[in-house]
């Protein structure tokens, strides 16, 4: 009788452990946010295409995943419940330039600015690079900047065929540099002619250890119109 009672008691204990253990496991997983990779698998199973990005957001006071999907029909933004994985909303976006996570155009221009004065910048969808034109020491360069890493893939000098012929001036470029250096001691990083309210001037960029300066010089009289100083960025 004691043996039978012991067996029954053992069975009851096992059942109780299974019941409470299962309840504990269920409660422990309730409200847990899905991992990004699992969310991507859920989206891919429902919609064919290339997932460009997935980010966890707080939308309508709930945690939701925002997934950008590129398909043959266009680019779509998909909103999903971050816990259950349920697809809540899906909208086509007019922005055909949606890119993978990486640097922005402003960040690309900031990188390029270390090599000269930025003239133009555009994103090349096919190569996934930013094409940035900069001018330095009277020359123009084209930089290819990796949109994912921010690395400069290439830097090549190009001819400024679209720029108008430079006017004849009394002050030469070398003389303008020297005048500017008399105002600010440092290294000339760029110099170019510009038209300010009908007056032709030299814009001379000078870099020191802690400052970046721009000296405006009348291209005919050699007079210094202005000197602007800015503190360099710490990065």
């Amino acid at each position: 009788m004691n043996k039978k009672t012991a067996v029954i008691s053992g069975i009851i204990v096992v059942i109780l452990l299974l019941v409470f253990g299962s309840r504990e496991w269920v409660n422990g997983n309730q409200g847990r946010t899905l991992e990004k990779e699992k969310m991507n698998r859920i989206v891919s199973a429902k919609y064919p295409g290339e997932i460009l990005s997935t980010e966890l957001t707080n939308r309508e006071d709930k945690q939701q995943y925002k997934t950008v999907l590129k398909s043959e029909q266009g680019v779509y933004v998909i909103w999903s419940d971050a816990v259950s994985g349920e697809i809540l909303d899906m909208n086509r976006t007019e922005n055909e330039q949606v890119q993978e996570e990486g640097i922005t155009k402003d960040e690309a221009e900031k990188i390029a600015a270390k090599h000269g004065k930025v003239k133009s910048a555009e994103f090349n969808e096919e190569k996934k690079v930013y094409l940035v034109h900069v001018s330095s020491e009277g020359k123009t360069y084209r930089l290819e900047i990796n949109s994912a890493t921010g690395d400069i893939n290439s830097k090549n000098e190009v001819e400024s065929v679209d720029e108008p012929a430079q006017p004849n001036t009394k002050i030469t470029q070398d003389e303008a540099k020297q005048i500017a250096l008399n105002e600010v001691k440092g290294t000339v990083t760029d110099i170019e002619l510009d038209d300010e309210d009908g007056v032709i001037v030299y814009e001379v960029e000078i870099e020191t250890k802690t400052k970046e300066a721009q000296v405006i010089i009348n291209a005919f009289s050699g007079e210094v119109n202005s000197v602007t100083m800015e503190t360099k960025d710490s990065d």
Side-chain angles (χ1 to χ4, degrees), residues 110-128:
K110 187 174 182 180
I111 293 170
K114 296 177 181 179
H115 297 264
K117 187 174 182 178
V118 175
K119 294 295 187 181
S120 65
E122 61 181 10
F123 180 71
N124 185 295
E125 178 70 27
E126 183 180 353
K127 293 184 177 181
K128 303 295 183 185

Side-chain angles (χ1 to χ4, degrees), residues 6-121:
V7 171
I8 293 173
S9 299
I11 293 173
I12 292 173
V13 170
V14 170
I15 292 173
L16 290 173
L17 287 173
L18 288 173
V19 171
F20 285 103
S22 299
R23 184 179 298 172
E24 183 72 19
W25 182 85
V26 171
N27 290 337
N29 281 271
Q30 286 180 346
R32 184 173 296 176
T33 302
L34 294 173
E35 294 182 355
K36 183 188 295 186
E37 290 76 13
K38 187 169 184 178
M39 191 68 252
N40 286 344
R41 289 197 296 269
I42 293 173
V43 171
S44 296
K46 292 179 178 291
Y47 309 104
E50 177 189 1
I51 293 178
L52 301 181
S53 65
T54 299
E55 59 178 325
L56 186 62
T57 66
N58 188 13
R59 180 173 179 252
E60 298 176 352
D61 295 327
K62 293 181 182 179
Q63 280 197 316
Q64 296 184 20
Y65 272 111
K66 176 186 177 183
T67 304
V68 179
L69 178 79
K70 185 176 183 180
S71 69
E72 294 180 355
Q73 290 72 37
V75 179
Y76 294 85
V77 176
I78 301 171
W79 297 94
S80 312
D81 188 288
V83 176
S84 67
E86 178 187 359
I87 305 298
L88 303 174
D89 197 7
M90 181 176 181
N91 298 298
R92 183 171 179 174
T93 175
E94 297 299 325
N95 183 10
E96 297 294 338
Q97 299 296 324
V98 176
Q99 306 156 23
E100 296 180 3
E101 294 179 1
I103 65 171
T104 64
K105 182 179 177 181
D106 287 342
E107 290 170 333
E109 290 182 357
K110 187 174 182 180
I111 293 170
K114 296 177 181 179
H115 297 264
K117 187 174 182 178
V118 175
K119 294 295 187 181
S120 65

Side-chain angles (χ1 to χ4, degrees), residues 144-161:
E144 285 194 4
I145 302 177
N146 190 304
S147 64
T149 64
D151 295 333
I152 297 177
N153 294 344
S154 64
K155 177 183 178 182
N156 299 301
E157 183 180 350
V158 296
E159 294 183 6
S160 305
V161 294

